[in-house]
Amino acid sequence: MTDTLPDAALDQIFRTARTHNAFSGQIDDATLRSLYDLVKLGPTEANACPARFVFVRSREAKERLGPALSEGNFEKTMAAPVTVIVGHDLRFYDKLPLLFPHADAKSWFEGSPDERLQRVALRGSSMQTAYLIVAARALGLDAGPMTGFDNDKVDAAFFPGTAVRSNILVNLGRGDASVLYPRSPRLSFDEAARIE
Amino acid sequence: MTDTLPDAALDQIFRTARTHNAFSGQIDDATLRSLYDLVKLGPTEANACPARFVFVRSREAKERLGPALSEGNFEKTMAAPVTVIVGHDLRFYDKLPLLFPHADAKSWFEGSPDERLQRVALRGSSMQTAYLIVAARALGLDAGPMTGFDNDKVDAAFFPGTAVRSNILVNLGRGDASVLYPRSPRLSFDEAARIE
């Protein structure tokens, strides 16, 4: 247990951070690897780390992604320096002998009903998407997560012949604060929480 | 877009942070409210903020939670200063007129098949759980997320007669680093990611 972070850090990762809609700049390989090196450390169920990440950066890859995007997400995504496709591997348990070496964790999941595997994979990759958003902000990048896209088209274009299924897209880059909408309301503590 | 956070901050929220298994200390109402005030700002689909949080702190509430816990999670959870039940409201769309006031976002979800509502709610509350873990660390608390519990028992004890369903439990407090296991391996960049 440690001290609370300085206000400037809390501002950067939560308080003044925003979901951006317009991006510029460039992001090099080293930055994407630094980002992954933070994201990978966030906890997931049985350390299963089900998320798989495609950092879409080239023009060619952006053009493969384009047809899957909803109209409202098209322009900003094509212009963003990088768009991360976060998917999850429904056969995540194949990695458990590596990721959870002190027990036969693979047997906890292999052969489970699809509904359970989908739930575990979706839960984990969604948590890892949140780590990605916070880690990007911590590295000085802005993020723009999106669910407005055709999952089947993304899966066919980027994960063919695998058990990986797309979950969320996240644009990364330098956000243009001048085109932000005002922040939307949030639920008050009493609307969303209670202490018992 | 801003600078990268200092190493000490990256360490605190990711690099040296660990999932703890033994907790002590006390957490007051003000700290829980400060925690929520960070968590609520993390982005979710259509700003739906589907997560609902019960901060289980009293002996009485811990005793209601106890019978739902797996054997391996019982002792540490009963001893933790606070255990957060993170659930999601399957009727999250009822709050959208407040949370997404500039469009009729409620109509995007109301009447959707249960499978879609469950997916959106699970995805959002899982992201919000990740924000909770990072925000707790940022406030100097240690966290211990768990999925080893009986969801139906938790729902009956804490969310009866509602559309809220439990997702993840998170112990909070001062972690005891002396009883940590070594950190488990993670997937390398090339095992989990690629740049296109």
Side-chain angles (χ1 to χ4, degrees), chain B:
Chain B
M1 194 143 139
T2 47
D3 290 337
T4 189
L5 290 184
D7 272 327
L10 297 177
D11 289 349
Q12 182 167 330
I13 61 176
F14 285 113
R15 290 183 189 145
T16 59
R18 295 291 308 280
T19 289
H20 278 264
N21 295 304
F23 297 87
S24 62
Q26 294 192 323
I27 305 177
D28 61 17
D29 285 22
T31 301
L32 296 177
R33 287 175 176 269
S34 297
L35 177 60
Y36 177 73
D37 281 341
L38 295 174
V39 172
K40 72 180 182 185
L41 297 174
T44 55
E45 182 172 356
N47 193 37
C49 304
R52 302 294 179 263
F53 305 91
V54 182
F55 295 99
V56 177
R57 190 175 58 184
S58 70
R59 178 50 41 193
E60 181 276 324
K62 280 287 184 78
E63 286 175 359
R64 271 191 291 134
L65 179 61
L69 299 170
S70 71
E71 189 179 339
N73 287 331
F74 184 82
E75 191 177 347
K76 64 184 174 189
T77 303
M78 296 307 275
V82 168
T83 304
V84 192
I85 304 169
V86 186
H88 39 253
D89 190 347
L90 295 172
R91 292 185 58 97
F92 62 85
Y93 48 79
D94 286 337
K95 303 282 191 194
L96 283 172
L98 167 69
L99 295 170
F100 203 96
H102 41 296
D104 181 15
K106 184 175 176 179
S107 71
W108 303 342
F109 299 100
E110 189 175 29
S112 284
D114 282 352
E115 185 186 344
R116 178 181 181 222
L117 297 175
Q118 288 173 12
R119 188 172 66 245
V120 172
L122 178 68
R123 181 160 54 200
S125 80
S126 299
M127 294 179 75
Q128 292 182 276
T129 303
Y131 302 138
L132 176 82
I133 292 166
V134 175
R137 294 168 170 179
L139 294 180
L141 294 165
D142 292 307
M146 303 172 285
T147 53
F149 65 95
D150 184 321
N151 292 71
D152 290 340
K153 285 185 183 170
V154 169
D155 296 349
F158 290 91
F159 305 120
T162 74
V164 180
R165 297 293 176 269
S166 56
N167 182 12
I168 306 178
L169 305 181
V170 184
N171 284 325
L172 297 177
R174 180 189 299 272
D176 180 354
S178 74
V179 298
L180 280 174
Y181 303 101
R183 191 196 279 279
S184 293
R186 295 297 196 273
L187 299 176
S188 69
F189 185 91
D190 292 337
E191 288 172 306
R194 65 183 194 265
I195 301 171
E196 288 206 1

Side-chain angles (χ1 to χ4, degrees), chain A residues 1-170:
Chain A
M1 194 144 138
T2 47
D3 290 337
T4 189
L5 291 183
D7 273 327
L10 298 176
D11 289 349
Q12 182 167 330
I13 59 175
F14 284 114
R15 290 182 189 145
T16 60
R18 296 291 307 280
T19 289
H20 278 264
N21 295 304
F23 298 88
S24 62
Q26 294 192 323
I27 306 177
D28 61 17
D29 284 22
T31 300
L32 295 177
R33 287 174 176 270
S34 296
L35 177 60
Y36 177 73
D37 281 341
L38 294 174
V39 173
K40 73 180 182 186
L41 298 174
T44 55
E45 182 172 356
N47 193 38
C49 305
R52 301 294 178 264
F53 305 91
V54 182
F55 295 99
V56 178
R57 190 174 59 184
S58 70
R59 178 51 40 194
E60 180 277 323
K62 279 289 184 76
E63 286 175 0
R64 271 191 291 134
L65 179 61
L69 300 170
S70 71
E71 188 180 338
N73 287 331
F74 183 82
E75 192 177 346
K76 63 185 174 189
T77 302
M78 296 306 276
V82 168
T83 304
V84 192
I85 304 170
V86 186
H88 39 253
D89 190 347
L90 295 172
R91 291 184 59 97
F92 61 85
Y93 48 79
D94 285 337
K95 303 281 191 195
L96 283 172
L98 167 70
L99 295 171
F100 203 96
H102 41 294
D104 181 16
K106 184 175 176 180
S107 71
W108 303 343
F109 299 100
E110 190 175 28
S112 284
D114 282 351
E115 185 186 345
R116 178 182 181 222
L117 297 175
Q118 288 173 11
R119 188 172 66 246
V120 172
L122 178 68
R123 181 160 54 199
S125 80
S126 299
M127 294 180 74
Q128 291 181 276
T129 303
Y131 301 139
L132 176 82
I133 293 166
V134 175
R137 293 167 170 179
L139 294 181
L141 294 166
D142 292 307
M146 303 172 285
T147 54
F149 65 95
D150 184 319
N151 293 71
D152 291 340
K153 285 186 184 170
V154 169
D155 296 348
F158 290 92
F159 306 120
T162 74
V164 180
R165 297 292 176 271
S166 56
N167 183 12
I168 306 178
L169 305 180
V170 184

